[in-house]
Amino acid sequence: MNLARLFLAFKLVAAIALWGSANAAGSPGAAEAPGALSPADSQACFEVVPGHVVELVAAEPLVFDPVAICWDDDGRLFVAEMSDYPNGDGGGRIVMLTDADGDGTIDTRTIFAAGLPFPNGLLAWNGGLLVTAAPDILSLADRDGDGMAETSEVILTGFQAGNQQLRVNGLCSGPDGWVYAANGRSGGSITSPRRPDAPAVSIDRHDLRFRPDTGEVEAVAGFSQFGLAFDAQGQRFSNWNTAPIRQVVFPLDVAARHPLAAPPSDMEVLEDPLQQNRLFPISATPMTFNREPTDAFNASCGLSIDRGSRLLPSGCAYVCEPLLNLVHRRELVPVGVAFEARRPAGEETREFLASRDPWFRPVFTVTAPDGALWICDFYRRFVEHPDFVRAELRDGVDWDEGKDRGRIWRVRPEPDAPRRREDIAKHQRALSRVDARRRLDTAGAGLCDVALGLAADPDPAIRFDVALAVESLDGVERGAILAQVVATEPVDPWVDRAVICVAEEGAAGIVASLAAADQRARARPGILRGLAEACGRNDAARDSWPLSEVVATSDLDRAGQLALMAGWVEGRKSAGASDAPAHFGGRPFASWLARARDFVAGDGPEDRGDAIALLRLDPSADATVILLERLAQPIGVEEATLLLRGLRGRDPVGVAEGVLAAWPAASPAVRRSMLESLTAPSLAPAGLPRLAAALESGEVGPGDIDPEARRTILTGDTTPEEVRARLGVLLGGVASADRMGVVMAVEAGLPASGDGDRGRGLFVRHCSGCHRSGGVGTRVGPDLAGMQSKSRGQLLEDILDPNRRLTGEYAAVAVVTKDGVAFTGLVSGETPSAVQLTLAEGKMETIPRGAIEAFRGTGKSLMPEGFEQALDPRDFADLIEFLRRGP
């Protein structure tokens, strides 16, 4: 179900990740877990935020294995019981719980429907219930009033019914009258028996919405694991096992209509700016089969947004972490279009609700009709799915232990407190945006006037809605409104993305307005470049170039003009125009290249990205020298990546020499980018022999070559055969395929203790490009805070054998573009127009779908094998000591 998957989709994921596992848990044999507690004893184990009380709603034998609840229009409570988890066969039930004697306590259980395959989502509809039970979404109804469903109709079908943790779930009513559902990570090709002639709808990496009465179904933006929720403004939120709250921002239909201009991702991951995703459980270290973090999210699920409860502060998001026996909450604070999800005051180092009972397994939250927060407690000993447990540990375990139990709890304030001023302000802001959206939706022929009236609203969220709403207007009207939207402060990246996406033929007018505005409004190369790309796409097939006239008559500074030129050229290229213009903006093209060379060679602190991009069209020796000289400066990895791309296709011998000349002063992150360049098809024949010479002379040390680069160099197709053996000797050969053998050999040589301070340096050098620990590094793979409870052996295995428990979220993909450029990374965003990859060092690469030649999974973690070739046992001891000592 999703419970499982919710449970441990997180487990799936955390079951390792880049590191192999983000761990921090014991192993099944480490200690005997306490047995199940009675409801009263379990209740005594709770710690809740002061001012609240936890009450039992129902427990066994009234309820078993609850994973979702809802109320119908008559106020009756329905519960989805996934008693067939983890590997049963159609043993799920929907039960109705009632207070038969009217004393205020639930006392009667009625089986509404039985024999369902892992039911995990409920929604009252049309006098009955909608139920997610992959491969179907069912409509169940009780027509004779006996409390049991007599009819069962398939509304939608085609959902993949793979692992029970990864199935469609999260039914909820949207503000638009559609019913929404979470993908669950399994996807599917969806059809409806009510529309037999309609084509199937793919929901690959997307959520969905549907109309139960007609069978209409659509894929929508977002890709959710277990749970969906809307806030009071109608914004949709989802969660992922390691990302408890994600905001769905950009609509899929708009992105699909503008595939070349759509943003690379439609979601914003919401993190607390201070604590990120750190958690504070009070239960003992969980006994698990796969090592999971003990102070960070790894199994988040059951997201809900408070839209009018009695709890304070109002408007919070609530999310479960069943592995760590707690319910976490965040206050959603608007920061432009998106939010920050901050811990409320007083909860900086504690959880909203935590339990010392290791069997407390919260998996679902909802604001009930009584204004309290209700929580489904799956109450099991194990929540890991046996499919993700090593075979040697799987047998002999009673995976069903606890399936004869289950609880539903509610949390209410005691006593009720007056609303805070901040809560009132949030409510008023929500009403303001809702009213603005209503006015836009109902404007009809008066849309232009309504949009103009809202285009200068100081709330970026309202201006974002305006930008999307004017997509249907003609180019002149649209451009005038969007110009006001984008020129109004405060600036917001999502507003800029919306304007760029829908600008199209109005883009030149927007640029003209920005160029005529005050300096703060126009000094934004990003928006200028994006609008210029739209202009370039529109200009590719015609002789008149409106943007050229704007540039010729504006007084934008050099950075702004170069942004426009670089964007326009890129837009023309994406539309198929490969030739460079002879003139643009009143200048010969050669003059633009000269300005770009001067800018890149200058000493100022300005961002040189646009000038570097423009120099890709300059094959001159002067440009090559300037790019290489800049590469030798103390620069960051993003600029280095741009420079190396700008050097593609030039004299390979000169470029290889220049790259290695810049090696000594480069950071570890920049060196990794240099190695990627040296092994690229166009440079490898000259670059790899030069690298071999540098290794032989000591200019480059073998320890400078990371394991993934070693693998590419020694086994890749780009390595010349005449230098492969030479490099094999210098680098120590390919990493052994016997990873457990490597682990055992290194562990046997580990010193008894390590030097954490020295280990910090090793972490910075070898690990910080993808991991974060102790305030150091980049979060591409799991955050490695909270490793204190892991054994040295566990950590060593994670480092040396990262693919042992590889999960989907951290499985790398390889993308090769039509011009021969290869990328390996994690898919972090997808739209109809592009794929967004997160690469090592946190670099983001957006690749237009039309530019992709090949796209495949590697079947491996982004974290490479082979660190034993770069580190000796003492190094491992020091690195592990740093990881285990914590911040």
Side-chain angles (χ1 to χ4, degrees):
M1 113 167 219
N2 249 170
L3 167 209
R5 123 257 213 300
L6 67 78
F7 257 141
L8 262 118
F10 47 53
K11 145 210 175 332
L12 242 192
V13 150
I16 283 184
L18 249 34
W19 256 101
S21 125
N23 310 171
S27 60
E32 182 59 33
L37 300 179
S38 69
D41 288 342
S42 184
Q43 186 173 8
C45 293
F46 287 124
E47 290 185 9
V48 67
V49 167
H52 298 80
V53 62
V54 184
E55 299 173 328
L56 180 68
V57 174
E60 63 278 358
L62 289 172
V63 65
F64 305 95
D65 312 301
V67 297
I69 56 178
C70 74
W71 291 261
D72 68 4
D73 292 339
D74 296 324
R76 297 182 299 178
L77 172 64
F78 292 87
V79 184
E81 296 184 337
M82 196 161 45
S83 295
D84 44 356
Y85 177 82
N87 281 325
D89 184 16
R93 299 176 295 269
I94 308 299
V95 301
M96 182 173 65
L97 303 182
T98 55
D99 171 18
D101 59 14
D103 65 354
T105 302
I106 289 175
D107 53 27
T108 302
R109 165 189 175 90
T110 302
I111 297 179
F112 185 76
L116 302 175
F118 307 99
N120 58 6
L122 295 176
L123 181 68
W125 178 75
N126 194 30
L129 295 178
L130 297 175
V131 180
T132 51
D136 304 321
I137 293 180
L138 304 171
S139 174
L140 306 179
D142 167 23
R143 301 306 182 194
D144 61 9
D146 64 355
M148 295 179 286
E150 292 83 34
T151 65
S152 175
E153 178 185 3
V154 175
I155 300 296
L156 298 178
T157 191
F159 298 97
Q160 293 295 319
N163 184 275
Q164 294 86 345
Q165 297 175 3
L166 308 173
R167 298 185 175 197
V168 61
N169 67 93
L171 294 173
C172 59
S173 297
D176 53 9
W178 292 68
V179 174
Y180 285 73
N183 181 295
R185 285 181 57 178
S186 288
S189 187
I190 313 307
T191 60
S192 172
R194 296 191 174 190
R195 296 168 61 87
D197 297 328
V201 174
S202 171
I203 58 167
D204 181 39
R205 297 188 67 84
H206 289 102
D207 293 328
L208 68 145
R209 68 175 185 173
F210 63 99
R211 296 188 184 277
D213 52 343
T214 66
E216 294 174 83
V217 59
E218 297 178 355
V220 295
F223 185 31
S224 308
Q225 188 158 303
F226 191 80
L228 283 179
F230 286 90
D231 70 1
Q233 300 177 42
Q235 295 172 117
R236 183 159 43 96
F237 299 81
S238 69
N239 76 326
W240 199 256
N241 57 331
T242 54
I245 309 172
R246 307 200 294 185
Q247 179 184 353
V248 181
V249 182
F250 209 89
L252 180 62
D253 60 333
V254 176
R257 288 191 291 271
H258 306 276
L260 295 178
S265 177
D266 50 28
M267 291 184 295
E268 183 95 10
V269 177
L270 308 185
E271 292 189 335
D272 180 82
L274 298 178
Q275 296 284 14
Q276 282 82 47
N277 284 337
R278 187 178 181 189
L279 296 174
F280 299 91
I282 62 173
S283 53
T285 299
M287 183 179 72
T288 63
F289 294 85
N290 290 291
R291 307 170 195 135
E292 319 292 359
T294 56
D295 71 344
F297 276 105
N298 188 57
S300 69
C301 56
L303 173 71
S304 66
I305 306 292
D306 169 13
R307 289 194 283 168
S309 78
R310 296 155 58 192
L311 303 180
L312 296 174
S314 67
C316 284
Y318 293 84
V319 65
C320 302
E321 176 42 89
L323 189 68
L324 302 182
N325 322 116
L326 59 87
V327 176
H328 175 83
R329 74 169 172 177
R330 302 270 185 88
E331 196 168 4
L332 298 180
V333 180
V335 183
V337 175
F339 289 78
E340 280 186 354
R342 305 173 186 169
R343 283 178 171 269
E347 298 174 41
E348 293 84 358
T349 58
R350 64 160 301 157
E351 300 306 327
F352 171 71
L353 175 67
S355 176
R356 291 182 298 277
D357 182 355
W359 286 44
F360 172 60
R361 305 295 191 180
V363 297
F364 182 87
T365 64
V366 66
T367 300
D370 64 0
L373 182 75
W374 287 40
I375 302 165
C376 288
D377 176 4
F378 195 59
Y379 210 82
R380 289 277 188 102
R381 180 178 182 186
F382 301 115
V383 293
E384 291 163 290
H385 196 286
D387 287 357
F388 308 116
V389 175
R390 298 203 308 266
E392 63 269 25
L393 298 178
R394 190 181 306 151
D395 297 337
V397 175
D398 183 2
W399 298 102
D400 290 338
E401 189 173 0
K403 70 180 298 180
D404 58 345
R405 299 174 186 272
R407 286 90 193 261
I408 299 174
W409 306 93
R410 67 176 162 219
V411 182
R412 61 173 177 80
E414 184 183 67
D416 288 347
R419 296 181 66 185
R420 306 181 309 172
R421 290 182 179 178
E422 305 95 286
D423 294 322
I424 296 172
K426 282 194 299 184
H427 181 65
Q428 291 173 337
R429 179 183 186 271
L431 289 178
S432 176
R433 186 179 184 188
V434 169
D435 179 65
R437 189 179 291 156
R438 179 191 58 76
R439 291 172 60 194
L440 291 166
D441 290 343
T442 60
L447 175 60
C448 184
D449 291 336
V450 172
L452 274 172
L454 295 170
D457 195 285
D459 185 349
I462 291 177
R463 286 187 281 121
F464 176 80
D465 292 338
V466 170
L468 297 179
V470 301
E471 179 192 14
S472 61
L473 298 178
D474 68 45
V476 175
E477 290 180 329
R478 187 191 327 158
I481 295 168
L482 293 177
Q484 183 63 65
V485 165
V486 79
T488 302
E489 294 191 339
V491 171
D492 185 275
W494 282 106
V495 173
D496 286 356
R497 291 169 189 168
V499 169
I500 290 170
C501 184
V502 304
E504 297 294 345
E505 64 270 22
I510 302 171
V511 174
S513 296
L514 282 174
D518 63 73
Q519 189 62 35
R520 287 181 303 170
R522 61 185 182 167
R524 289 159 55 196
I527 183 69
L528 292 176
R529 192 181 199 282
L531 291 168
E533 287 189 26
C535 292
R537 287 191 295 272
N538 284 294
D539 293 349
R542 61 189 186 188
D543 298 327
S544 62
W545 301 339
L547 184 63
S548 179
E549 299 174 14
V550 173
V551 173
T553 58
S554 75
D555 63 345
L556 287 170
D557 61 16
R558 181 172 59 173
Q561 290 194 344
L562 286 172
L564 290 175
M565 184 61 189
W568 188 77
V569 169
E570 183 62 30
R572 283 170 53 84
K573 179 182 176 182
S574 68
S578 58
D579 59 310
H583 290 79
F584 182 81
R587 296 174 181 272
F589 186 64
S591 175
W592 284 104
L593 295 180
R595 299 185 83 192
R597 289 195 298 269
D598 290 343
F599 197 24
V600 174
D603 296 328
E606 298 91 350
D607 185 338
R608 291 169 169 77
D610 293 315
I612 294 170
L614 202 52
L615 288 187
R616 295 180 194 173
L617 300 178
D618 184 353
S620 69
D622 287 345
T624 302
V625 170
I626 288 170
L627 293 172
L628 287 172
E629 288 178 345
R630 183 64 190 171
L631 184 65
Q633 301 300 310
I635 57 175
V637 66
E638 290 186 3
E639 184 175 353
T641 301
L642 290 173
L643 289 165
L644 291 164
R645 290 177 187 171
L647 290 164
R648 289 175 186 159
R650 301 173 187 270
D651 170 39
V653 174
V655 170
E657 293 285 350
V659 169
L660 287 166
W663 184 275
S667 69
V670 171
R671 288 180 178 181
R672 280 188 281 270
S673 292
M674 289 176 170
L675 288 169
E676 290 175 7
S677 178
L678 291 171
T679 57
S682 62
L683 194 55
L688 291 180
R690 179 64 187 88
L691 177 62
L695 285 162
E696 289 167 340
S697 68
E699 298 172 67
V700 176
D704 294 337
I705 312 298
D706 67 84
E708 181 59 23
R710 288 173 184 248
R711 185 193 65 78
T712 301
I713 290 169
L714 298 179
T715 65
D717 295 337
T718 63
T719 303
E721 289 301 323
E722 63 271 17
V723 78
R724 193 186 303 273
R726 181 178 164 199
L727 285 166
V729 173
L730 292 166
L731 296 176
V734 180
S736 170
D738 180 10
R739 302 315 301 165
M740 279 310 298
V742 170
V743 173
M744 294 172 65
V746 174
E747 188 169 18
L750 276 184
S753 61
D755 180 345
D757 292 333
R758 182 173 181 272
R760 179 186 178 92
L762 291 167
F763 179 86
V764 169
R765 182 176 178 181
H766 295 283
C767 313
S768 62
C770 289
H771 295 282
R772 185 172 178 83
S773 182
V776 178
T778 303
R779 189 178 171 192
V780 177
D783 193 308
L784 300 182
M787 297 293 101
Q788 299 94 320
S789 62
K790 292 188 65 174
S791 71
R792 299 169 85 219
Q794 288 172 334
L795 280 170
L796 186 66
E797 182 180 325
D798 292 341
I799 297 169
L800 292 174
D801 196 3
N803 295 306
R804 173 169 290 269
R805 300 177 188 85
L806 179 64
T807 64
E809 183 175 357
Y810 293 103
V813 299
V815 177
V816 180
T817 65
K818 292 178 179 177
D819 55 1
V821 181
F823 300 97
T824 301
L826 305 178
V827 176
S828 52
E830 286 192 77
T831 68
S833 62
V835 174
Q836 184 185 61
L837 297 184
T838 298
L839 313 178
E841 316 301 335
K843 295 180 293 185
M844 307 300 292
E845 185 68 33
T846 301
I847 308 170
R849 290 188 183 274
I852 295 175
E853 179 71 27
F855 185 175
R856 61 178 178 80
T858 67
K860 293 186 176 182
S861 164
L862 187 59
M863 181 178 173
E865 298 174 341
F867 272 99
E868 73 279 4
Q869 296 177 303
L871 304 176
D872 61 26
R874 180 203 170 193
D875 294 332
F876 282 113
D878 295 344
L879 174 60
I880 289 169
E881 180 62 25
F882 167 73
L883 293 172
R884 294 185 72 223
R885 76 182 183 184

